[in-house]
Amino acid sequence: MPPRFPIEVSPSSHPTPTDERSRVLASALGFGQIFTDHMVLIPFREREGWLPGALQPYAPIQIDPAAAVLHYGQSVFEGFKAFRQVTGDIACFRPDANAKRFQHSARRLAMPEMPIDMFLQAAEILIQQDRDWVPSTRGTSLYLRPLLIATECSLGVRPSREYQFILIASPAGDYFRGGIKPVSVWVCDNYVRAAPGGTGEAKFGGNYAASLIAQAEATQRGCAQVVWLDAVHRDQIEEMGGMNIFFVLESNGQTTLVTPKLSGSLLPGITRESLLLIGPKLGYAVEERTITLAEWISSAQAGQMTEAFACGTAAVITPIGSMHGQHGETLIGDGQGGPVAQALRDYLLAIQYGEAQDLLGWMHRVC
Ligand code: PLP
Ligand code: COI
């Protein structure tokens, strides 16, 4: 198919040699450490709109010290994955949903909205070029990281008139070092991540910068992730540092997946939304509602909450074994994870690798 938007393709004259790439792909990939041979750049100028893009060798970019992003932080990003299908083809999971959220985040930060087709085309061109970087073992994928930054050289505090879109790709394995072993989490009560009317539901770099001090405190306490409470009541569970959260409640033989409702200050995760849709197919009821820290503690102690898990593109589905906070430690179930998170994870991965029927049309075949 001819390109819908002009993206000039200039492949690297010295791509990673095949044996080196195979060695890297066979190693423990972890998350966000290794990058493929190419990247896509698409500039935007207020007067001209989106300018012709370029696929070029992965390399450092030059940025003027007066570029707005370096001073006032206009920067939004996305994250989605391409999977090697059982057939050998490559397909992305719901990239159109990421493209829409990228637009939403850009709008909130007074940045230009990239057309959905342009976003998808950039991804297709990069994946096609670097297709040999898509790993094939279960649990691995190619993580795509689109980024939009303000590049106008101006120190006036106003929306930049120039931007750069950047797309890079990274072969990825497990986000957490222990793989899918249950993690412990730290409930943060001294900082807030996002407030009503703020930027919490945008995938905005500043949200992550503001979360790092709490994430560091969680790490000091031996926890893998921070859990955020709402900014107003300071007792409602919102989400985690880089993922959404689900609870599994058992009552009268019915299993219910509960996740905090979208409050405007938590990220509307695409994995979260997908699990709300596939949960009922596995026989689970689903609820989006307020859940307080007090309810989390009491229902876990009463044995009604049998599991809790983190979900997101990077984290996939990772069980939460225990929750820590000023109140002490609360074990969830026996602390070892459980069958519901496992069943959801198996089903989601089966769709993503093309083993299960893609009933909801989520997979976007690239090549
Ligand atoms: N919440 C935050 C703060 C995140 O960074 C992410 C990751 O993207 C998520 C939730 C999960 O979103 P998704 O499932 O779209 O990856
Ligand atoms: C993702 O899952 O794509 C994310 O962006 C989360 C990452 C920041 C840990």
Side-chain angles (χ1 to χ4, degrees):
M1 212 205 298
R4 284 97 67 190
F5 297 96
I7 297 184
E8 192 185 339
V9 175
S10 310
S12 171
S13 55
H14 51 279
T16 309
T18 306
D19 53 346
E20 168 67 3
R21 191 183 56 239
S22 306
R23 192 188 59 72
V24 169
L25 290 182
S27 65
L29 291 169
F31 179 79
Q33 302 295 316
I34 301 156
F35 299 94
T36 66
D37 289 314
H38 299 89
M39 62 184 182
V40 172
L41 302 180
I42 308 178
F44 175 93
R45 282 205 287 268
E46 193 174 84
R47 288 202 177 166
E48 294 139 287
W50 294 98
L51 298 169
L55 177 141
Q56 58 191 58
Y58 183 101
I61 54 167
Q62 276 210 332
I63 189 155
D64 192 290
V69 64
L70 301 178
H71 302 266
Y72 308 128
Q74 266 186 300
S75 168
V76 296
F77 71 100
E78 263 308 326
F80 61 99
K81 285 175 168 172
F83 295 85
R84 178 81 61 186
Q85 304 293 283
V86 278
T87 55
D89 291 354
I90 298 167
C92 293
F93 181 69
R94 306 193 65 186
D96 49 328
N98 294 88
K100 283 188 198 128
R101 191 171 63 188
F102 198 51
Q103 289 186 328
H104 183 271
S105 300
R107 200 178 317 139
R108 176 62 183 83
L109 273 296
M111 298 167 82
E113 293 176 41
M114 173 172 265
I116 290 179
D117 250 13
M118 185 183 284
F119 181 100
L120 296 178
Q121 189 187 321
E124 285 164 16
I125 283 193
L126 183 60
I127 295 165
Q128 277 159 10
Q129 182 68 40
D130 283 339
R131 57 183 300 155
D132 293 338
W133 279 100
V134 183
S136 51
T137 52
R138 190 145 182 114
T140 65
S141 58
L142 186 70
Y143 181 80
L144 280 300
R145 172 52 69 89
L147 173 70
L148 184 65
I149 55 170
T151 49
E152 185 184 349
C153 302
S154 166
L155 300 185
V157 182
R158 55 164 174 75
S160 172
R161 297 191 188 109
E162 295 175 17
Y163 295 88
Q164 182 69 261
F165 169 82
I166 304 165
L167 176 64
I168 56 175
S170 171
D174 295 320
Y175 184 75
F176 292 108
R177 215 181 285 154
I180 55 167
K181 284 219 301 278
V183 293
S184 47
V185 295
W186 171 254
V187 179
C188 173
D189 65 358
N190 48 346
Y191 301 104
V192 291
R193 172 185 179 273
T199 55
E201 68 177 8
K203 215 160 159 55
F204 159 52
N207 292 341
Y208 296 81
S211 76
L212 297 178
I213 188 167
Q215 180 59 43
E217 286 184 10
T219 307
Q220 267 168 18
R221 291 176 156 95
C223 293
Q225 275 280 300
V226 56
V227 174
W228 292 107
L229 299 174
D230 77 290
V232 177
H233 311 89
R234 306 291 284 266
D235 66 357
Q236 300 176 1
I237 308 298
E238 291 234 299
E239 60 173 325
M240 308 218 275
M243 44 214 73
N244 293 115
I245 190 164
F246 271 85
F247 303 96
V248 180
L249 300 181
E250 300 287 345
S251 174
N252 300 324
Q254 175 65 59
T255 301
T256 305
L257 308 177
V258 177
T259 193
K261 66 175 192 288
L262 297 179
S263 60
S265 56
L266 62 96
L267 194 81
I270 292 158
T271 318
R272 172 191 180 280
E273 189 200 47
S274 305
L275 295 181
L276 288 171
L277 293 167
I278 64 181
K281 294 192 191 307
L282 297 182
Y284 309 135
V286 293
E287 277 180 18
E288 296 176 82
R289 66 167 169 87
T290 299
I291 177 161
T292 62
L293 179 58
E295 181 185 348
W296 184 350
I297 296 169
S298 62
S299 60
Q301 285 172 349
Q304 194 199 359
M305 179 185 292
T306 51
E307 298 178 42
F309 59 87
C311 71
T313 300
V316 192
I317 292 176
T318 305
I320 298 171
S322 60
M323 178 259 282
H324 304 245
Q326 296 305 346
H327 66 283
E329 176 181 357
T330 302
L331 204 64
I332 296 115
D334 61 3
Q336 300 304 310
V340 176
Q342 188 64 49
L344 288 164
R345 184 182 164 95
D346 290 346
Y347 190 36
L348 183 64
L349 289 178
I351 296 172
Q352 292 176 330
Y353 288 106
E355 295 158 4
Q357 215 188 333
D358 178 19
L359 294 171
L360 293 158
W362 283 340
M363 299 310 293
H364 180 94
R365 186 185 171 280
V366 176
C367 52

